[in-house]
Amino acid sequence: MIHDVVGIVLAAVILIPGLVLIVRRDVSRSLELAVAASLACGVLIPSFATSAVVAVVAVLGPAVLLAIAIIRDRAHLRTLHYPWVLAAFLAWSAIAGSFGSPVKLVLLNVATVALLMLFAVAVVGAASRSRNVFLPLFPIVIVVEFAIGFSEEVLRAPAPWPRANGTDVISHRVNEVLPILAGRAMGTTAQPIPYGVLVGFAVVVCLWFAVRTKSAALYAAAGLGLVTMVFAGTRSAFVTLAGVLVLWALMRIRWRKSAIIWLVAAVVGVGVVMAILFVFMNSAVLATASFQHRAGILSTAGNLLGRDPLQVVFGTGYASIPDLLAHGIVSGVKGITVFDQEFVRTAAAMGLVGLGLLVAVIVRGIVKGTELTRLLIIFVAGTFLFFDGFSWRLIAMLFVLAIAYGYGKPGPGAWVVPDYVSRPLGRPVAEAGR
């Protein structure tokens, strides 16, 4: 009951002032404010561990704000180009992903897809006006999530939200990254993996701006983010972040403008880091249920092609995933009822059509994107190899943000660090460009 009250209060604190600002401020700021309020709801109110009422408010509230902002700025939005492949993927997830689900889950799925579509439109519009929706929100996210993770690890305070099964005993979640800690913290996300991915996303943002502006505050925020990722204990987020940073370093040396090289280097960069880590991993890590489950899912994913041809092409809906695991069509570790692999999950629920659309979204986003958005797309898509990313509304929003921002053709003003962030180290804050 207390979590439901907290959820409603948080939503009200974010949405009511957001609505007032969207309506009263200049129309050119409406989309940026709506994007910021929607992200705040996604960060603070998780997809799970809440009642149906809170879940509905967390989806419909931001959707209403985004719709109002879009209507206010509709004249400007008519002149822009949008990620239609992303829209097609989201629409297909609402259709094929809902097969076999109860009516209430179908409605929630459709409403979430509507939220993500509105969010994409608003992000494109905000970017086209050179509005910086990346800063200062993500440094603030790092500070907030660090404070909550610190309270869990050091003060032994309970996480703001329990896990989906209702439990919250941090000592039951062993932190393999740093075993001396109390366990794996969950921050505001109700689960360690999305917690680590959220903070990793923010770290990429902060580092990208810090390198260009030499902002001491942004370097500090990135360092604080790495500590927070240790609290989360999410090894997959560290692996993917390391791969992205290696890729970034390589791309800064050569081939800055080739999107095809970006695609190849992304696979090679993340793959090399994973291979190195696996070589140095001891047998105890490789024998963990976490690793064995993911390895099992990947090794049996080909069995999905043995289903009825219509099921192979169009999928069987998200509701079929527990049955696929229970019947051994796709199998990992017994007792784990999720795939922990978004690409396999998409192929199962949405068929080859859905998987093809997802790959097309990623490729098109990289082609259309800027250096920063490409790094963020690769980071989020890389984490899809390790968990069911789209089952978390927040992670879906981060993915949409990274994809849609490149379509707005953001001008130089989108990459400016506000003066209040900090004084730079060695030179004035200037527009960083792309």
Side-chain angles (χ1 to χ4, degrees):
M1 181 65 180
I2 184 64
H3 292 104
D4 296 341
V5 174
V6 170
I8 296 297
V9 170
L10 277 175
V13 168
I14 296 168
L15 298 174
I16 293 175
L19 177 61
V20 172
L21 290 172
I22 288 169
V23 172
R24 295 180 65 89
R25 295 293 296 273
D26 183 83
V27 67
S28 66
R29 303 300 300 272
S30 295
L31 295 171
E32 180 184 18
L33 291 167
V35 168
S38 300
L39 279 172
C41 267
V43 169
L44 296 176
I45 304 176
S47 303
F48 305 106
T50 61
S51 68
V53 173
V54 176
V56 169
V57 170
V59 171
L60 294 185
V64 170
L65 260 61
L66 291 165
I68 293 172
I70 288 170
I71 291 171
R72 289 198 74 206
D73 209 8
R74 61 189 180 279
H76 172 66
L77 290 171
R78 290 195 188 104
T79 66
L80 305 177
H81 298 284
Y82 297 96
W84 296 112
V85 179
L86 174 63
F89 170 74
L90 293 173
W92 185 243
S93 72
I95 298 170
S98 295
F99 290 164
S101 295
V103 173
K104 63 180 182 180
L105 292 182
V106 172
L107 294 175
L108 183 61
N109 187 29
V110 171
T112 302
V113 166
L115 165 64
L116 295 173
M117 286 186 171
L118 292 170
F119 186 69
V121 172
V123 169
V124 172
S128 69
R129 289 187 178 278
S130 295
R131 295 300 187 192
N132 194 335
V133 299
F134 285 117
L135 282 176
L137 182 62
F138 286 105
I140 294 174
V141 166
I142 287 177
V143 172
V144 170
E145 297 297 344
F146 169 81
I148 295 174
F150 182 86
S151 70
E152 293 180 65
E153 297 286 6
V154 178
L155 305 179
R156 301 300 176 92
W161 305 94
R163 297 181 72 181
N165 61 10
T167 63
D168 180 24
V169 181
I170 192 170
S171 59
H172 292 176
R173 305 187 297 271
V174 178
N175 193 321
E176 300 289 352
V177 173
L178 191 60
I180 63 172
L181 292 174
R184 298 180 67 185
M186 301 193 299
T188 59
T189 64
Q191 216 268 359
I193 295 181
Y195 181 38
V197 173
L198 166 63
V199 178
F201 188 99
V203 167
V204 175
V205 173
C206 289
L207 282 177
W208 193 90
F209 281 98
V211 166
R212 280 155 180 75
T213 63
K214 297 186 179 179
S215 166
L218 291 177
Y219 276 116
L224 200 65
L226 292 175
V227 174
T228 309
M229 291 177 69
V230 173
F231 290 161
T234 304
R235 291 165 294 188
S236 56
F238 273 110
V239 169
T240 312
L241 178 61
V244 167
L245 295 181
V246 168
L247 167 65
W248 185 20
L250 292 174
M251 297 307 295
R252 296 300 296 172
I253 300 173
R254 299 179 61 188
W255 310 313
R256 295 187 183 185
K257 304 221 178 254
S258 174
I260 300 301
I261 295 296
W262 268 92
L263 288 171
V264 175
V267 175
V268 173
V270 176
V272 167
V273 171
M274 290 177 62
I276 292 173
L277 290 176
F278 287 152
V279 167
F280 286 99
M281 278 181 177
N282 57 47
S283 58
V285 173
L286 296 177
T288 60
S290 174
F291 181 86
Q292 292 296 323
H293 179 69
R294 290 170 173 84
I297 293 296
L298 284 175
S299 66
T300 58
N303 293 341
L304 293 172
L305 298 176
R307 297 181 295 173
D308 181 274
L310 289 178
Q311 294 178 338
V312 172
V313 175
F314 300 114
T316 52
Y318 294 122
S320 68
I321 289 175
D323 288 338
L324 292 173
L325 288 167
H327 296 151
I329 296 175
V330 180
S331 61
V333 173
K334 186 176 181 180
I336 300 179
T337 57
V338 294
F339 280 175
D340 275 335
Q341 224 285 357
E342 182 55 50
F343 293 106
V344 178
R345 176 175 178 264
T346 297
M350 299 163 58
L352 296 181
V353 172
L355 181 60
L357 286 171
L358 176 56
V359 173
V361 169
I362 294 169
V363 172
R364 185 62 177 161
I366 292 175
V367 171
K368 290 284 291 184
T370 64
E371 183 180 73
L372 174 58
T373 60
R374 286 168 179 163
L375 291 172
L376 293 172
I377 291 167
I378 292 166
F379 174 75
V380 178
T383 65
F384 289 168
L385 297 170
F386 305 105
F387 86 123
D388 298 339
F390 285 135
S391 64
W392 301 88
R393 183 178 65 256
L394 169 61
I395 307 304
M397 293 180 75
L398 295 179
F399 181 72
V400 170
L401 172 62
I403 294 290
Y405 204 78
Y407 281 78
K409 296 189 181 302
W415 312 119
V416 174
V417 176
D419 292 338
Y420 57 80
V421 170
S422 80
R423 292 183 178 181
L425 300 173
R427 65 180 176 86
V429 174
E431 293 185 357
R434 297 191 184 189

